[in-house]
Amino acid sequence: LICLPLSALASSHEHHEQHTEAKESHEVALSPELMALLNQEMGLIQQGMMNLVPAIAAGEWHDAAEIGQKIKASFILKQKLTAAQKEELHRVLPEQFIEMDQDFHHSAGMLAHAAEMRNADVVNFYFYKMNAACVACHSKYAAQRFPGLAKGGATEGHHH
């Protein structure tokens, strides 16, 4: 769930679990093939999120709805996974990761629906939810890849 730089703002409002430093890392070990598909998926989601910004700002509701639907449906993972890869995902990924992913894709669908209704406020709400979900997931499961979201990293330099 790759997100925009603005995501650091949202993360300051997230509640962080109190764990020892050893328990902070929730990195997930996937096979190289599955990791490549996941990275490809994340890149397409990032591009979709970035394309949503001008579409929403310009009131291009058809485009925003189309992007939201593509994100909801997953660009790659649901279409290209083999049965063995699906089994690996469900075996290796923590339940909370799967729940966070499902919530993210649900928000994308809700954004698409709001765009179809031309409701800018609701579209912006779901864009925010999607972006906040990126931050929450990356800080929990990919902090090594996104060191700015590691514990304390997102709030450094933030005024109180």
Side-chain angles (χ1 to χ4, degrees):
L1 308 170
I2 306 288
C3 296
L4 304 173
L6 295 174
S7 60
L9 296 174
S11 69
S12 66
H13 300 288
E14 297 291 325
H15 296 286
H16 297 285
E17 296 177 9
Q18 299 299 318
H19 291 292
T20 64
E21 198 61 37
K23 292 182 182 177
E24 281 301 315
S25 176
H26 296 281
E27 299 286 327
V28 178
L30 297 173
S31 67
E33 298 82 13
L34 200 49
M35 186 57 81
L37 278 177
L38 184 62
N39 285 335
Q40 192 177 359
E41 173 92 4
M42 295 295 170
L44 290 169
I45 288 173
Q46 178 183 24
Q47 191 61 54
M49 292 291 289
M50 293 175 77
N51 290 342
L52 277 170
V53 173
I56 293 168
E60 295 170 351
W61 304 120
H62 175 75
D63 291 345
E66 191 174 286
I67 294 165
Q69 284 297 341
K70 285 181 180 177
I71 293 172
K72 177 189 178 205
S74 288
F75 289 93
I76 294 170
L77 287 181
K78 288 184 182 174
Q79 291 87 5
K80 291 192 175 180
L81 286 182
T82 65
Q85 288 171 326
K86 287 178 187 176
E87 186 278 327
E88 178 187 348
L89 271 182
H90 287 282
R91 178 174 35 82
V92 174
L93 295 178
E95 185 62 33
Q96 187 179 20
F97 180 98
I98 294 168
E99 289 172 10
M100 293 170 88
D101 183 64
Q102 289 171 343
D103 288 346
F104 173 81
H105 291 284
H106 175 75
S107 290
M110 295 302 288
L111 180 145
H113 179 69
E116 290 166 359
M117 300 294 111
R118 300 171 176 256
N119 189 327
D121 288 339
V122 177
V123 168
N124 280 314
F125 170 75
Y126 281 106
F127 183 82
Y128 163 79
K129 279 194 69 164
M130 291 168 68
N131 205 43
C134 293
V135 172
C137 190
H138 290 166
S139 30
K140 183 162 187 131
Y141 296 106
Q144 287 181 338
R145 184 169 180 169
F146 303 104
L149 296 176
K151 186 176 179 183
T155 57
E156 289 176 6
H158 181 71
H159 60 87
H160 297 284

